[in-house]
Amino acid sequence: MVIAQSLSAELSESQKAVLQKYVVNEEKSWEDVVQRVARYVASAEETPELQQQWEQKFLSILRPMKFVPGGSILANCDHGTRGLLNCFVLSAEDNIYDITKLVSDAVLTTKFRGGVGINIGAVGQKGFIRAKGAPFQDGKALGPCSVLDMVSENSKKITTGNKARRGAFLFSMNWRHPDIWEFIQAKTQSTIDANFTRSIIEQMAALINADRPQEEKQQKLKALNQELTTAWVETHLNPEGKRDRRWHNANISVQLDDEFFARLDQGDEDANRLWNRIAENAHQTADPGLLLIDNAKRRSPIREFVTCTNPCGEIFLPPNSACNLGSLVLTKFIFRNDQGEVEVNWDDLAETVAIAIRFLDNVLNVSEFATPDQKHNVRHVFRQLGLGIMGWADYLKLARIPYDSSAHLDEIDRWGQWIAHHAYRTSESLAAEKGACGVWEQIKEVRTGNPFELWVDSEGNQYNGAEVLVSERQDLTQVPRRNSTVLSIAPTGSIAQLAACSWAFEPDFGLTVWKQVFVDASQSQQNWVQILNPYLDDLALSEADADLVKRTGSLKGTDFAKAHPEIAASFKIAREIPPGWHILVQSKWQDWIDSSISKTINLPAHATVAEIKQIYRLAQKAGLKGVTIYRSGTLESEPIKVGDDERAD
């Protein structure tokens, strides 16, 4: 008996709210959307017969939501700009022509529904822009942070079709750059209009000396003080017309390498000072995160080319390359046997992986692009894919496996190995049929240690990537692939809500959550949608327990949890799981991913700066490629609330 939530003709209110982001023209249903998507993506095949054949195969995994593509694919297939790829990385060298092109390319990429990652390198690295105040022929440089100001502001609100899209960015900077201090503090700052501020202060000074009644002066001073506290530059307005922080549409990360951590261990004063400030700012604003660049390059097939990740951090990209995302809904492949035990339909999963890889590879050939450089790199050089997962926490609940348990780590190996193996074998088959990616000759000898790679010796014996890393044989050749990278785990927020499953491999944010859904961003229309975890139904909670879960979003404190602690352990929400387990789980999944992973470590409001430093350091030692934390209550406006109690705050 299949136990995944089936896709009925009638979607839930939560699913309907998300579906509105993807319907076009006269479409009304999921069936309408996937018919358009499958037909358009299958058009990449060479003959009408193959197009018809693959359209049906694509529909076989799209209709039941065994596989759900990224939002740009759903929204833009045969529609609008036909820009199907979610995110890009851009770069500029230290000259006005490159900088101007960077700003222009960021605006154009936003128009094509793409987010953008931009890294500011250190001296001698790709993407270096000279420090603020550095001399040049005509004066002094404004510095890279001013360049990022231009990118952020010029991409604030772009119309795509009949909808407005706010630019989404990741700004990163290498820790050696002289402007790193201005960079890491950007999210703690408001940009204040100096002239306006001086005018207010002058009025206040004049008022103090004015011959007016004291009560009148106090009222006027109070009004002027209120103006002063909100004296932001008017260009820093978000789409709702409210004043915003600097780089309001960007996440920021610091790129740290092995040398930084060596200096930190040696007690280097500058490294320690920077480390402390990074943690303090992350505690205050949730930024910056860390991009652990040497960890990332060690396991990347394209290590010599990558500079930065996309805004959510799930894929390291070279400049003008892109992430092409889609996720397997893992609960669609499980069932209960006659003894009531949870089992996996491995054959169905393998077939779905193979179809999904061909689907994503076809997307590269039918997508349109904002710039010629992006089109060239994506189609003819790197051909990167990002096949990922979602619904993992749902599987753990059904299998009664606690998130913070060794049994969980064993399950990751079981599923991860199977998915990665079949994804790589499919990319190799596609290379034999259609040709390898253009960069293959430059990366074919890169030894990453990834166990899902396939190598052969001169006698035809096969080796995986982990075996090759320790082998002394000189005659090993890697089997060519169609795609330079194949696997990634994206955050899957909207598409997980569409598929009514948990996000990626994140634990449940809450068993009852309220989520903001934008119905029409151009009109700033949004709804709060309540999402109740469907797997609670299996527990047959009492009315009192159900009310407590609805209010708090957790089983903690319920009579059910006291009576059934083993079952309740598999229903823990994110903030109830120790941070170390978040790191261990991400590290274990990373063993089966050739690109990267988007994962947020959610912390309670009382988490300390010292704890954040411990988490960041543990992430580095565990080999993670990046790490992001979020301390509850950090932001004034949070798009997700846990339970009715938080929603009411």
Side-chain angles (χ1 to χ4, degrees), residues 83-332:
L84 309 186
L85 306 188
N86 289 63
C87 297
F88 294 77
V89 159
L90 300 176
S91 184
E93 298 307 308
D94 191 26
N95 62 76
I96 191 61
Y97 303 103
D98 257 28
I99 289 170
T100 303
K101 187 175 186 299
L102 174 68
V103 176
S104 173
D105 285 358
V107 172
L108 292 171
T109 303
T110 300
K111 173 76 172 177
F112 274 68
R113 289 184 59 91
V116 175
I118 298 171
N119 180 57
I120 305 298
V123 177
Q125 295 180 337
K126 190 170 186 63
F128 171 73
I129 296 175
R130 75 190 70 184
K132 185 176 183 178
F136 65 98
Q137 186 175 2
D138 297 324
K140 293 185 177 180
L142 294 175
C145 291
S146 292
V147 173
L148 298 178
D149 283 339
M150 289 190 287
V151 170
S152 175
E153 291 306 316
N154 282 283
S155 304
K156 181 163 46 180
K157 193 170 182 181
I158 305 297
T159 300
T160 58
N162 63 345
K163 298 178 181 178
R165 180 173 176 82
R166 192 183 193 191
F169 298 96
L170 174 86
F171 297 154
S172 71
M173 181 179 281
N174 188 280
W175 68 276
R176 295 185 186 84
H177 196 285
D179 287 358
I180 189 64
W181 287 94
E182 180 183 0
F183 178 83
I184 65 171
Q185 295 177 102
K187 299 304 280 286
T188 68
Q189 299 168 347
S190 310
T191 302
I192 298 178
D193 185 324
N195 291 329
F196 180 72
T197 304
R198 183 171 63 249
S199 172
I200 295 291
I201 293 173
E202 288 173 352
Q203 290 181 61
M204 293 173 78
L207 186 63
I208 291 172
N209 298 319
D211 184 16
R212 295 188 182 183
Q214 189 64 23
E215 184 176 348
E216 180 184 337
K217 288 168 63 172
Q218 289 296 328
Q219 289 179 345
K220 183 63 175 174
L221 282 169
K222 184 176 180 180
L224 287 170
N225 185 65
Q226 181 63 27
E227 285 191 66
L228 183 62
T229 61
T230 58
W232 300 47
V233 174
E234 288 303 307
T235 56
H236 283 266
L237 295 180
N238 65 22
E240 292 76 46
K242 298 177 182 178
R243 292 177 174 84
D244 219 332
R245 286 178 173 173
R246 189 180 189 185
W247 302 347
H248 48 81
N249 50 1
N251 298 321
I252 66 172
S253 287
V254 179
Q255 287 203 7
L256 301 179
D257 55 20
D258 292 346
E259 181 184 340
F260 174 85
F261 289 104
R263 291 191 181 190
L264 194 64
D265 289 338
Q266 293 163 6
D268 180 89
E269 183 178 342
D270 290 338
N272 270 286
R273 190 162 63 95
L274 180 60
W275 182 245
N276 290 336
R277 185 58 62 85
I278 287 171
E280 289 165 2
N281 289 354
H283 182 268
Q284 182 181 348
T285 70
D287 280 302
L290 304 184
L291 294 183
L292 302 166
I293 192 65
D294 283 342
N295 282 354
K297 288 185 173 183
R298 270 187 280 273
R299 299 291 295 273
S300 174
I302 52 173
R303 60 176 62 142
E304 299 304 320
F305 299 92
V306 298
T307 60
C308 187
T309 72
N310 66 314
C312 292
E314 67 263 26
I315 187 163
F316 278 83
L317 297 164
N320 292 303
S321 190
C323 55
N324 176 20
L325 303 174
S327 298
L328 303 162
V329 183
L330 299 186
T331 49
K332 302 292 183 178

